Amino acid sequence: MHSRPIDHIVIAVQDLNQACQHYRTLGFTISPGGIHEQGYSHNALIHLADGSFLELFAFRPGWRRMFLRLWNKWGMLDSKKQKLENGFLNRFLKGLYGREGMIDFAIKVEDFTQQTATLREEGLSLSADCPFSRLKPDGSRVSWELAFPEDLLLPFLMSGYDPPKQLPEAATTHANGVKGIYGLSIASATFDTHFQLFQQLLAADPQIGRREGAPMATFDLGHQWVRLLEKNPDQEAGLVELQLHGEQEIGPLELSKTHQARIHILARG
């Protein structure tokens, strides 16, 4: 089976317009995204030449407070009540508390329906396949499917777009020289458990090593890699470092005034 590459990184922002302006100052070309199907969120996209992208994701004005109020009423903010069938909502909680920065990522799955069924048969706790769509600024609609592992440290799975993306070269050309996603590091408090889960989900064999005395596993996805780290006591579990490849080395990038993410651009042919 072919490995499953990184499709995109989800970056939560407070104000989408302000975030777009800031990312332009960092040398990125911003493409309009649109409003998601239910109307409570919207996004803008940074398309990369390797086919992956960065998603700037924000709740539309007024919706964050409403969600927090309703979900508290329904008990959804209690982690013990967050069930597999609410996989999408559970992940939304990551962006509800006003935290900015990298909060999630997706892997691209070919033969989506068949592969998600196979993963469930193999014992992975995975939601049902969920259809999604987004209304683009030009009035057209794009659709796709997602499936969500119960474990929130794992990436969610994404099908291709319908209709497929057709991007002008200008959309994937960035003043800072970025060409694509090189690698992503994730810190886990339960390294051994996540080692097995990532190996199953990414369909890739890891290289085992150590970083600052702690175990590390790097999964080779072809032109990308995903690295699982054992978190240190001062870290939060989750996405801790993104490496992009481009024409020159830059980093770390300050993605917002309140969040210093470890995102580096590395020179790479």
Side-chain angles (χ1 to χ4, degrees), residues 5-199:
I6 300 170
D7 183 81
H8 68 278
I9 310 294
V10 182
I11 302 174
V13 300
Q14 288 285 313
D15 184 295
L16 188 60
N17 289 332
Q18 289 182 5
C20 288
Q21 293 174 11
H22 179 62
Y23 275 76
R24 289 189 184 99
T25 69
L26 297 176
F28 290 104
T29 298
I30 307 296
S31 296
I35 299 172
H36 291 106
E37 185 174 9
Q38 302 301 324
Y40 43 71
S41 60
H42 55 169
N43 67 6
L45 307 174
I46 299 173
H47 294 291
L48 305 177
D50 68 351
S52 64
F53 64 94
L54 310 181
E55 177 187 8
L56 306 181
F57 172 90
F59 285 93
R60 299 177 72 201
W63 282 92
R64 176 183 280 109
R65 181 175 296 179
M66 187 200 73
F67 267 115
L68 284 170
R69 185 170 61 249
L70 289 177
W71 286 5
N72 182 58
K73 179 180 177 181
W74 297 335
M76 285 292 296
L77 300 184
D78 182 350
S79 61
K80 295 179 181 179
K81 296 182 180 180
Q82 294 169 18
K83 300 178 181 179
L84 178 60
E85 58 265 29
N86 297 320
F88 178 56
L89 297 180
N90 297 342
R91 287 174 183 262
F92 247 33
L93 287 173
K94 295 181 181 182
L96 270 179
Y97 298 111
R99 177 182 176 184
E100 295 192 308
M102 297 183 294
I103 60 169
D104 217 336
F105 72 110
I107 56 174
K108 188 173 183 179
V109 178
E110 304 292 344
D111 299 323
F112 186 82
T113 301
Q114 177 185 342
Q115 292 301 319
T116 54
T118 298
L119 285 168
R120 293 186 196 96
E121 291 172 0
E122 292 174 351
L124 184 69
S125 188
L126 187 66
S127 74
D129 298 348
C130 304
F132 284 81
S133 68
R134 171 169 47 84
L135 186 65
K136 298 168 67 176
D138 63 6
S140 64
R141 185 170 293 277
V142 61
S143 303
W144 65 93
E145 289 188 280
L146 301 177
F148 304 95
E150 184 174 24
D151 190 308
L152 299 183
L153 203 65
L154 297 177
F156 58 97
L157 287 69
M158 182 167 180
S159 71
Y161 285 114
D162 182 21
K165 285 191 297 186
Q166 293 185 336
L167 300 171
E169 184 177 352
T172 62
T173 302
H174 304 277
N176 57 23
V178 167
K179 301 293 185 183
I181 293 175
Y182 187 26
L184 179 66
S185 295
I186 301 128
S188 167
T190 53
F191 180 89
D192 291 341
T193 297
H194 282 111
F195 176 87
Q196 300 293 334
L197 290 171
F198 272 94
Q199 187 171 23

Side-chain angles (χ1 to χ4, degrees), residues 240-257:
V240 294
E241 184 175 18
L242 172 64
Q243 293 187 6
L244 306 173
H245 65 84
E247 298 169 354
Q248 57 184 324
E249 296 197 7
I250 305 173
L253 300 179
E254 182 180 308
L255 300 188
S256 76
K257 297 302 180 184

